[in-house]
Amino acid sequence: MGHHIGSGVAGATPRILLVDGSKVVRQLIARVVTAEVPGVEIVGASTGTEAQAELQRGVFDFVTVALRLPDMDGLELARFVREATPQIYMPIVVVSGDVEARLHRRELGEFVTDYFDKSLGFGALAEFIRGYVRPEGGAEGEVLYVEDSRVVALATRRMMEKYGLTVHHVISAEDALDHLRAAKLRGEVGADVVLTDVSLKGELTGGDLVERIRNEFGYGKGQLPTLIMTGDENPANQAALLRAGANDLVEKPVEEKLLITKLLFQLRVALHLRDRVEH
């Protein structure tokens, strides 16, 4: 029985493993995460070897790893976690300054749950970790959700609403664009985040929708973040969606915790950027 995230006893202390060669970075992250996630237990490791020993000693809810460690690549460590520990679902997040470049080349591999760009700051990282470890906090924001399968839409919509999000569901990219145009005439954006499937009935794909949002409407990634759900694991196709302007991709079949965490994270970063613009 693997330890699934959040399957611990209610009120159990989340344990986080921070793997980074720099003691300063480990202390910084630990300080910010402790403030954001009450009762968290943080274990630091400065090398991949140390991290492997910790992983064999005890159960963790979350691992953050630098891309480059003194003795190995962070991705090697991620592979070790997936192959050698029983905690198959444990989120492993790469924390790096050059995530963008690797992400566009889709080089993060299947062993990593997610990646986090250091340039967003450690405060945002702490929020991100909290989203995984304690997502119950509830969320506010309007999701423009584009999905043509009634069955999938119903389940996914319920899931988002359960976390407090408001969902406006449409079945095609064309309908989504109409919704955004109508909002624009009212002087509004029309959503806080867009979640779309890549393949839709109608002329336009989810990729086309993102491209129109970025070009026709001129909304940047921070202004209207967009997540694309795709069942296509081809790195070239994934990279094309990111180039078209998607903030992130969610692979299908969609895992609830991962989708919600990615959605809430994009929402929080967008709101954070919006506040900075307004103040």
Side-chain angles (χ1 to χ4, degrees):
M1 167 67 202
H3 169 87
H4 198 295
I5 313 153
S7 67
V9 196
T13 309
R15 297 186 79 226
I16 295 175
L17 179 63
L18 300 181
V19 193
D20 198 299
S22 155
K23 189 177 180 184
V24 176
V25 170
R26 290 199 308 275
Q27 285 172 334
L28 256 173
I29 297 178
R31 196 161 61 228
V32 180
V33 171
T34 309
E36 192 68 49
V37 186
V40 68
E41 184 191 330
I42 294 178
V43 177
S46 59
T47 64
T49 312
E50 245 177 79
Q52 286 173 345
E54 287 294 351
L55 286 157
Q56 279 159 328
R57 246 201 302 278
V59 171
F60 288 93
D61 296 277
F62 197 95
V63 177
T64 77
V65 59
L67 216 36
R68 289 178 193 77
L69 297 169
D71 57 344
M72 65 177 77
D73 190 281
L75 302 184
E76 257 176 83
L77 178 63
R79 168 180 281 155
F80 167 85
V81 173
R82 291 284 176 250
E83 292 172 353
T85 70
Q87 298 155 240
I88 196 78
Y89 296 111
M90 181 177 46
I92 304 173
V93 171
V94 167
V95 178
S96 158
D98 66 354
V99 158
E100 272 296 301
R102 280 215 185 190
L103 175 63
H104 281 294
R105 295 198 300 270
R106 259 351 228 180
E107 272 176 28
L108 291 172
E110 72 272 33
F111 304 109
V112 171
T113 314
D114 224 319
Y115 48 85
F116 184 84
D117 197 323
K118 256 187 203 152
S119 66
L120 290 166
F122 292 124
L125 174 64
E127 283 257 14
F128 187 65
I129 293 175
R130 186 181 64 182
Y132 266 102
V133 185
R134 295 245 161 96
E136 303 75 35
E140 281 176 25
E142 190 179 337
V143 183
L144 175 55
Y145 174 42
V146 196
E147 168 62 69
D148 55 28
S149 152
R150 218 162 259 225
V151 183
V152 174
L154 192 65
T156 309
R157 177 180 196 145
R158 268 201 196 123
M159 185 170 95
M160 292 191 277
E161 287 174 344
K162 184 176 87 185
Y163 288 90
L165 295 164
T166 307
V167 180
H168 181 82
H169 172 233
V170 294
I171 58 171
S172 69
E174 286 82 354
D175 290 352
L177 291 167
D178 286 345
H179 172 82
L180 293 171
R181 284 187 195 111
K184 195 166 193 177
L185 291 173
R186 296 192 304 271
E188 295 162 12
V189 173
D192 295 308
V193 61
V194 174
L195 175 65
T196 180
D197 201 316
V198 72
S199 53
L200 298 163
K201 294 186 172 79
E203 295 290 301
L204 304 174
T205 65
D208 297 329
L209 172 60
V210 178
E211 215 232 346
R212 301 274 175 103
I213 288 172
R214 298 289 171 251
N215 299 324
E216 182 189 324
F217 289 87
Y219 297 147
K221 286 185 180 185
Q223 195 175 6
L224 185 53
T226 305
L227 278 169
I228 298 188
M229 293 179 287
T230 174
D232 182 351
E233 288 166 17
N234 177 328
N237 297 346
Q238 293 192 349
L241 292 171
L242 291 160
R243 269 199 306 277
N247 288 54
D248 201 351
L249 307 177
V250 185
E251 294 198 1
K252 298 195 298 191
V254 171
E255 208 261 301
E256 174 171 335
K257 199 89 170 216
L258 183 60
L259 173 64
I260 292 295
T261 301
K262 282 177 179 267
L263 258 180
L264 298 189
F265 179 64
Q266 292 298 342
L267 258 174
R268 284 197 286 254
V269 171
L271 292 172
H272 179 70
L273 292 173
R274 221 172 281 173
D275 285 350
R276 280 211 314 232
V277 170
E278 285 163 16
H279 298 200

